[in-house]
Amino acid sequence: MGSTVSGPFCGRLLADFGAEVIKVEPPTGDPVRQMGKRSRGRSLYAASILRNKHLISVDLRTPDGQDIIKRLAKVSDVVVENFRPGKLEEWNLGFDALSKANPGVILVRISGYGQSGPYRHRPGYGVTSEAVGGLREITGEPDRPPSRVSISLTDCITGLYAAFGAVMALFSRTRTGAGQVVDAALYEGAFSFMEPHVPAFAELGSVPTRTGSRLPNSTPNNLYPTADGDFIHITAGNNATFERLAACMRAPHLARDERFRTPTARSRHEDDIDDIVADWTSGHPLPELENRLDASAVPAARIFTLRDIFADKHYEAREMLLKTPDDVLGTVTLPGVVPVLSKTPGAVRWAGREVGVDTRNVLERVAGLKAREIDALVRQETIYQG
């Protein structure tokens, strides 16, 4: 019952690895269907985030719709939702009600600020929760306002935590037989990535802010210009890698320079070493730099565009771009399954389809409704079949 990004992303991760995922939408469709680019009336984002799912349409505001959810939850391992806290309880679909019929059910609850605390009733949205979680303050250039990554980053982070929580709860259930609630908050998903800065503030009062493409206290680790007007990111923060970088630059003396001999010293003189590296990269075109740095085992990369990705042999070899059958487009290319498991790998079996396409099948096969009951629910507009 998750909507937009965080809930559907959680369900997509589980579906990729073989879970039978039943996605509940209103007749108007999940809002994610209106996000991103479209082709021939098709939401390309929905083609990916709704992949591998059985799609049903139920009006959750009606008693009959709520009864359908109870019947599905009774035979399900996991229920995922990302309504505002308290909404499920209003519909008599909270954990107490669901676990009464199914003691082993796991309820994954995704919200902006969690199921408890003074902010619990605030509307949650990924980018605002990202601001509360601290990530926005450290994203962007130091002389400009906080920036953002142009995807629903915190929704995906929290959806990933939610899926992880679901699997851990299932693992616990194998020992106890009991279900439980997984409480995943968007702002906490963002905040968890602030890990290096939390003890630094507690101990030193250090408040991190924006540093652009540079990673503080890991030097050199920055974006550098190339002779052909492009950029390359080089990271050589530890001593062994820095020595290889210095040798690649034909400047081995840099590794013996007192300013640069240790990671701590380099961090104190990060402007100096960045200027030296940038002066070197500026004298060579990007392809030459990539080859030389790779040969020297120095981590470096151009900034890939999607055009680069679609032409890249490594992406192809790792099956990270999957041509998937689609009812309207014929085929649609979707991102591959992550992570790669050696014995039980995930798979993309079909792309996201139309609203309600599986309503009748799921209600008959899983919820046990008779054809006449389904017909009556269609007539009263409790359910929609695409």
Side-chain angles (χ1 to χ4, degrees), residues 60-321:
L60 300 179
R61 299 166 300 177
T62 65
D64 286 339
Q66 294 156 17
D67 183 62
I68 289 171
I69 298 303
K70 289 177 184 174
R71 294 177 72 155
L72 291 172
K74 186 175 181 178
V75 293
S76 295
D77 293 299
V78 179
V79 175
V80 179
E81 63 96 7
N82 63 343
F83 300 106
R84 201 177 298 190
K87 179 56 71 175
L88 281 194
E89 285 73 15
E90 287 180 23
W91 292 336
N92 195 29
L93 294 174
F95 181 68
D96 289 345
L98 298 181
S99 61
K100 190 175 297 183
N102 180 358
V105 73
I106 292 154
L107 179 59
V108 176
R109 312 197 73 167
I110 304 172
S111 62
Y113 300 96
Q115 302 298 311
S116 61
Y119 295 171
R120 67 185 291 266
H121 288 299
R122 286 188 180 182
Y125 204 74
V127 73
T128 53
S129 297
E130 193 172 299
V132 174
L135 276 187
R136 289 294 298 283
E137 172 60 17
I138 62 170
T139 304
E141 297 297 325
D143 59 343
R144 299 180 187 180
S147 187
R148 66 175 294 172
V149 180
S150 59
I151 57 169
S152 300
L153 178 64
T154 294
D155 293 274
C156 293
I157 291 171
T158 310
L160 180 57
Y161 275 127
F164 172 66
V167 173
M168 293 305 294
L170 286 167
F171 184 66
S172 172
R173 196 181 68 180
T174 64
R175 301 193 304 271
T176 67
Q180 59 180 301
V181 175
V182 177
D183 183 355
L186 292 166
Y187 91 98
E188 289 169 358
F191 177 66
S192 71
F193 279 34
M194 297 288 288
E195 184 174 26
H197 302 298
V198 173
F201 175 79
E203 291 296 315
L204 307 172
S206 172
V207 178
T209 187
R210 296 172 293 290
T211 58
S213 58
R214 173 187 281 171
L215 181 64
N217 304 311
S218 176
T219 305
N221 189 335
N222 208 342
L223 194 64
Y224 302 98
T226 66
D228 47 358
D230 218 316
F231 294 90
I232 188 167
H233 200 107
I234 300 173
T235 175
N238 65 62
N239 279 348
T241 308
F242 183 71
E243 288 173 9
R244 294 197 297 271
L245 173 62
C248 181
M249 295 169 61
R250 296 188 174 91
H253 64 279
L254 291 175
R256 300 188 297 273
D257 189 312
E258 286 300 320
R259 295 172 298 166
F260 311 135
R261 282 189 61 190
T262 67
T264 303
R266 287 193 294 277
S267 293
R268 286 199 301 266
H269 298 92
E270 56 189 4
D271 287 340
D272 293 341
I273 191 59
D274 271 348
D275 288 344
I276 292 169
V277 175
D279 185 62
W280 174 68
T281 60
S282 296
H284 304 277
L286 177 60
E288 179 188 331
L289 287 167
E290 288 179 310
N291 291 334
R292 289 177 62 170
L293 290 162
D294 183 48
S296 299
V298 176
R302 69 175 64 199
I303 306 302
F304 273 52
T305 67
L306 273 174
R307 185 174 289 105
D308 295 320
I309 288 170
F310 269 69
D312 189 80
K313 61 184 179 181
H314 190 78
Y315 273 86
E316 181 181 4
R318 296 278 296 177
E319 298 183 340
M320 283 293 104
L321 294 168

